[in-house]
Amino acid sequence: MRGLLVAALLLGGCARNAIFELELDLPPDPSGTRYAVVQARDDADFSADWSGVAMAQGARLRPACSRPEPAPACDDRALDPTCSGVLSVIGDEDDLTRPLRIRVRFCEDPACGAAADAAAPETRVEIERAFYTGRYTQGRVCVDAVPPIPAGEPIRIERCEVRCREGDAVMHCRADGTHFCEPPLAGP
Amino acid sequence: MQGIRLVALIVTLLVAGPPRASAQLPDPPRGPSSADVAQARGAFVRGMEHSAERRFREARREFVHSYSLSGSPVALFNLASTLQSLELPREAAVAFERLLADPGLDATIRARAEPMLAEVAAAVARVRLHGALEGATLRVDGGPPRPLLRSPEVVVLDPGAHGLDAERAGADRWRWRGTLRRGDALDLAVELVSARASPDTGGVDPYLAVGIAVAAGVVVGVLVGAFVIDAEAQLSPRTGWVIVLP
């Protein structure tokens, strides 16, 4: 039995070795009928066909969120758990250097399967570099209102804005330009 | 089928787990006052702030406080999630189980909690005790004694260092000390012998002690190997909302 366990670990070895956690502050939906449905990919940009792309189950939007007015800056606010979620995007070695693109679609169906969802409003996010081998990384996006159609420019999260555990609270790269999630440059 | 397996795991967790004060969830209030709810909200926000800074022990304290005042399923979900982050899967499973037992639970929370429960249920360690256990009692980590009813008796534990002490009629004793990792399944032969028979080994037959030591060495060796492989390659998602890139 124990041998099977080790074998399973070996077989699963390279499948999941970097995880990007996207904190999503979601907008209220007074009708309470919409879902936030998230897709992610790093093999094409937003102009490509996204049908069939990996999708997370939709999170229902709440009619109201306890968010002060005016809302604090995204990085400063305490997230209301009923109006937010943390999405884990799991990547591997092939995903390390490619920009990660995420669509947050606001659909009537939790899988965006309703007819009206074909043109659902959406927020787009592009992370310059999300993954580092063997590391959890984090980024945050706040969507204060369901966006208009068509989708606007993507929210861009620069490489040095991606957090990891050892990172500084504001800047997550060292003076030499390397990210806290990767080793510093070798000395002279 | 998966549901059946999950239920079975949950039943095992609830029935077989050792009684520990730290594993106790506070009971939700029957009718929280508005003042309690306001206080609970404050504790909740503090818990979120601690959690965001990965101060999970402090977050746990605040979520427990929030839940005890409000009975909020969201506070209970966050408490369960925090216990998972603290690598206390047994306690997390108890919290998730209580959350999911609520038939009125919001579908979104339920959808997130179910895979998290499955994950923590898979992360606990299980020790199966074999032998003539009738009439004996077991202490886990120095806790209060509980009767051993049948063989094998399953003890569900969080990963980490533990001690098991079995005793019958105050005279026959058996003890085990060891460290368990996530998902371990360990079989131990409990041989209750007179405490006076071999005081140097804590009452355990020397041959049995050697046998256990050899077996433990093999298990530890395999586990270390598994850990090295695991540490190099595997991260597990810490939230229930997951996308796996192809």
Side-chain angles (χ1 to χ4, degrees):
Chain A
M1 250 340 251
R2 187 63 63 180
L4 289 177
L5 171 64
V6 176
L9 290 169
L10 281 168
L11 289 171
C14 292
R16 301 184 312 188
N17 55 10
I19 294 182
F20 175 70
E21 297 169 332
L22 179 65
E23 299 167 347
L24 267 175
D25 198 20
L26 296 167
D29 173 34
S31 68
T33 59
R34 288 182 196 262
Y35 294 82
V37 182
V38 186
Q39 290 179 286
R41 73 189 304 176
D42 61 3
D43 60 342
D45 62 19
F46 292 107
S47 65
D49 177 10
W50 280 60
S51 56
V53 172
M55 176 185 295
Q57 183 173 1
R60 186 189 284 275
L61 300 184
R62 292 311 179 105
C65 300
S66 57
R67 190 172 291 151
E69 291 291 342
C74 187
D75 284 336
D76 296 337
R77 64 180 71 173
L79 300 185
D80 175 353
T82 62
C83 290
S84 64
V86 180
L87 173 76
S88 295
V89 184
I90 303 175
D92 60 26
E93 294 288 342
D94 296 335
D95 304 306
L96 295 182
T97 57
R98 299 197 291 227
L100 177 65
R101 296 180 179 90
I102 294 175
R103 292 172 82 194
V104 185
R105 303 173 66 195
F106 299 98
C107 297
E108 293 179 3
D109 178 80
C112 282
D117 293 337
E122 65 179 76
T123 294
R124 296 173 173 177
V125 184
E126 182 172 299
I127 300 104
E128 182 182 15
R129 175 168 177 171
F131 298 111
Y132 293 86
T133 302
R135 306 302 296 264
Y136 293 96
T137 50
Q138 295 89 29
R140 177 181 283 196
V141 167
C142 298
V143 186
D144 289 337
V146 174
I149 302 172
E153 284 294 303
I155 297 168
R156 298 189 192 281
I157 299 178
E158 305 295 332
R159 183 176 65 93
C160 294
E161 294 174 325
V162 172
R163 307 195 302 269
C164 67
R165 286 180 177 176
E166 292 79 8
D168 179 84
V170 178
M171 179 74 168
H172 302 279
C173 288
R174 302 183 184 89
D176 65 9
T178 57
H179 197 278
F180 281 112
C181 283
E182 61 190 350
L185 294 175
Chain B
M1 190 61 192
Q2 188 177 1
I4 295 170
R5 190 174 58 185
L6 190 59
V7 169
L9 280 171
I10 294 163
V11 169
T12 303
L13 286 166
L14 294 181
V15 172
R20 289 174 54 191
S22 60
Q24 298 297 316
L25 285 175
D27 291 328
R30 290 180 183 272
S33 67
S34 55
D36 284 344
V37 171
Q39 201 177 342
R41 189 174 293 125
F44 186 92
V45 170
R46 290 193 297 277
M48 290 294 288
E49 289 167 349
H50 286 309
S51 186
E53 296 297 325
R54 311 223 172 270
R55 296 190 296 265
F56 293 119
R57 292 186 187 284
E58 292 84 353
R60 171 193 187 173
R61 184 189 63 229
E62 297 293 353
F63 289 137
V64 165
H65 188 46
S66 178
Y67 176 67
S68 67
L69 287 170
S70 67
S72 160
V74 179
L76 182 57
F77 175 91
N78 279 14
L79 172 58
S81 176
T82 300
L83 291 168
Q84 186 178 15
S85 297
L86 285 167
E87 297 188 356
L88 297 172
R90 183 181 170 277
E91 295 180 41
V94 171
F96 278 126
E97 162 62 4
R98 180 184 291 186
L99 179 74
L100 290 166
D102 177 2
L105 182 66
D106 177 88
T108 304
I109 297 177
R110 181 176 296 281
R112 293 189 193 179
E114 284 176 342
M116 294 173 79
L117 172 58
E119 186 177 336
V120 294
V124 295
R126 292 173 181 78
V127 178
R128 284 186 296 270
L129 303 178
H130 302 266
L133 307 178
E134 293 77 12
T137 58
L138 177 72
R139 291 178 189 269
V140 177
D141 300 331
R146 66 187 179 96
L148 291 170
L149 302 176
R150 68 188 72 81
S151 177
E153 178 89 10
V154 179
V155 181
V156 181
L157 298 166
D158 285 319
H162 293 285
L164 303 177
D165 293 272
E167 186 177 275
R168 183 189 286 119
D172 297 339
R173 293 176 184 169
W174 169 88
R175 70 195 298 260
W176 175 86
R177 298 291 182 270
T179 300
L180 298 168
R181 295 193 54 81
R182 292 167 59 90
D184 275 0
L186 185 63
D187 288 275
L188 295 175
V190 177
E191 187 169 338
L192 291 154
V193 297
S194 169
R196 290 170 297 179
S198 181
D200 291 341
T201 57
V204 177
D205 182 296
Y207 294 107
L208 178 61
V210 170
I212 290 174
V214 170
V218 171
V219 170
V220 167
V222 172
L223 289 177
V224 166
F227 172 75
V228 169
I229 294 164
D230 192 40
E232 286 180 352
Q234 294 291 327
L235 294 177
S236 297
R238 299 180 294 193
T239 67
W241 205 18
V242 176
I243 289 180
V244 181
L245 294 180

